[in-house]
């Protein structure tokens, strides 16, 4: 099932509950929350208190993408705040297996994220442990960047690996996705399509979500 996963990074934070309600009306079922610490990436965004407030404002599943150093120190706090899935950057994890296991034991789905330049070969052994894999299609830190084209080839490789190993984890893609390249991401093998500026920088987040869901569903139907 292909999902359009709006990232609130590009939303208007002063009217966040309204923005979230819009994408929910547009048919989204997962919301992407970008957590940045000013160390792993230069930018700083939100922490557990904001996630807890969002949890009270919506029934959407909350997908926390931790772009932070030492994510093992903070994952539990985000799960306690209401995250349904928590992903950690491969590049920030000294003990990735232990961190993924801890997230799962705490009751959330555990995801591993690769930066554009990190090869998917590093996932070979840990694939059985991760509940989902997020491939960054921009360098993390900001919304509104251009998709790096070679990442689509990484998606195809990972989808092939998934097929060969008879696994079923969702592949998530994040960064630079808009109406024009969405179908290609779906055809490459992505199921969770994160998109920020394409949803929130237009005049109607609800309509944008609905339209992108239709494009994705159409591309997925052609694949079958
Ligand atoms: C970037 C974040 C993304 C970002 C995507 O570091 O991880 O989730 O919000 O935004 P767009 O869709 O504008 O590239
Ligand atoms: Zn993200």
């Amino acid at each position: 099932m292909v999902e359009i996963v709006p990232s609130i990074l590009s939303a208007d934070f002063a009217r966040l509950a309204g923005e979230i309600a819009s994408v929910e009306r547009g048919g989204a079922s997962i919301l992407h929350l970008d957590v940045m610490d000013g160390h792993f990436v230069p930018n700083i965004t939100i922490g557990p208190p904001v996630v807890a407030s969002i949890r009270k404002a919506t029934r959407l599943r909350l997908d926390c993408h931790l772009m932070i150093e030492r994510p093992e120190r903070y994952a539990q706090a985000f799960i306690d705040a209401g995250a349904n899935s928590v992903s950690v950057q491969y590049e920030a994890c000294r003990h990735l297996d232990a961190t993924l296991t801890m997230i799962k034991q705490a009751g959330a789905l555990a995801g591993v994220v690769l930066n554009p330049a990190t090869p998917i070969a590093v996932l070979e052994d840990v694939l059985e442990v991760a509940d989902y894999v997020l491939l960054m299609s921009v360098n993390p830190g900001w919304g509104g960047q251009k998709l790096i084209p070679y990442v689509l080839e990484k998606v195809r490789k990972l989808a092939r690996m998934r097929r060969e190993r008879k696994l079923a984890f969702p592949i998530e893609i994040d960064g630079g996705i808009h109406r024009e390249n969405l179908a290609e991401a779906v055809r490459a093998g992505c199921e969770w399509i994160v998109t920020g500026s394409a949803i929130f920088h237009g005049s109607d987040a609800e309509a944008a979500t609905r339209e992108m869901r239709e494009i994705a569903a159409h591309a997925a139907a052609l694949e079958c």
Side-chain angles (χ1 to χ4, degrees):
M1 169 86 179
V2 180
E3 304 272 3
I4 295 296
V5 182
S7 159
I8 62 162
L9 192 59
S10 298
D12 178 351
F13 276 73
R15 23 181 314 272
L16 197 49
E19 298 268 61
I20 294 170
S22 298
V23 299
E24 192 164 3
R25 283 195 307 273
S29 59
I30 311 175
L31 197 65
H32 187 78
L33 308 180
D34 286 306
V35 177
M36 305 187 190
D37 65 350
H39 291 275
F40 181 74
V41 289
N43 211 353
I44 297 177
T45 56
I46 63 168
V50 178
V51 177
S53 294
I54 294 173
R55 178 69 295 159
K56 286 188 218 139
T58 182
R59 288 195 311 244
L60 295 180
R61 276 147 65 201
L62 302 181
D63 176 39
C64 279
H65 172 196
L66 304 187
M67 284 162 275
I68 63 176
E69 300 288 356
R70 311 282 310 268
E72 70 282 359
R73 284 165 54 178
Y74 299 97
Q76 182 72 54
F78 284 97
I79 295 165
D80 292 344
N84 301 93
S85 56
V86 174
S87 60
V88 294
Q89 293 272 161
Y90 169 83
E91 302 81 4
C93 272
R94 198 171 289 175
H95 301 286
L96 180 59
D97 175 88
T99 303
L100 294 173
T101 302
M102 180 267 276
I103 292 169
K104 294 202 309 189
Q105 280 171 354
L109 294 179
V112 53
V113 191
L114 300 188
N115 274 341
T118 305
I120 60 158
V122 301
L123 295 176
E124 199 177 320
D125 298 302
V126 82
L127 267 189
E128 318 272 341
V129 185
D131 291 310
Y132 62 105
V133 175
L134 166 49
L135 296 181
M136 287 308 298
S137 39
V138 297
N139 287 298
W142 289 272
Q145 303 180 69
K146 256 195 144 113
L147 176 137
I148 298 171
Y150 69 73
V151 173
L152 291 171
E153 189 47 37
K154 287 175 70 181
V155 173
R156 289 184 201 103
K157 264 192 215 165
L158 183 59
R160 212 174 304 135
M161 207 191 252
R162 176 173 64 179
R163 231 175 7 253
E164 285 165 8
R165 304 261 297 266
K166 298 190 169 45
L167 296 170
F169 58 86
I171 300 175
E172 184 172 23
I173 190 165
D174 184 6
I177 299 284
H178 45 71
R179 288 165 186 72
E180 288 69 33
N181 59 15
L182 167 58
E184 195 181 355
V186 172
R187 285 197 298 269
C190 299
E191 284 84 17
W192 293 0
I193 318 269
V194 176
T195 172
S197 43
I199 295 281
F200 291 109
H201 282 177
S203 56
D204 188 341
E206 177 184 341
T209 305
R210 191 171 297 120
E211 194 189 333
M212 291 185 83
R213 290 188 77 233
E214 279 161 16
I215 296 170
H218 185 69
L222 288 180
E223 274 305 278
C224 298

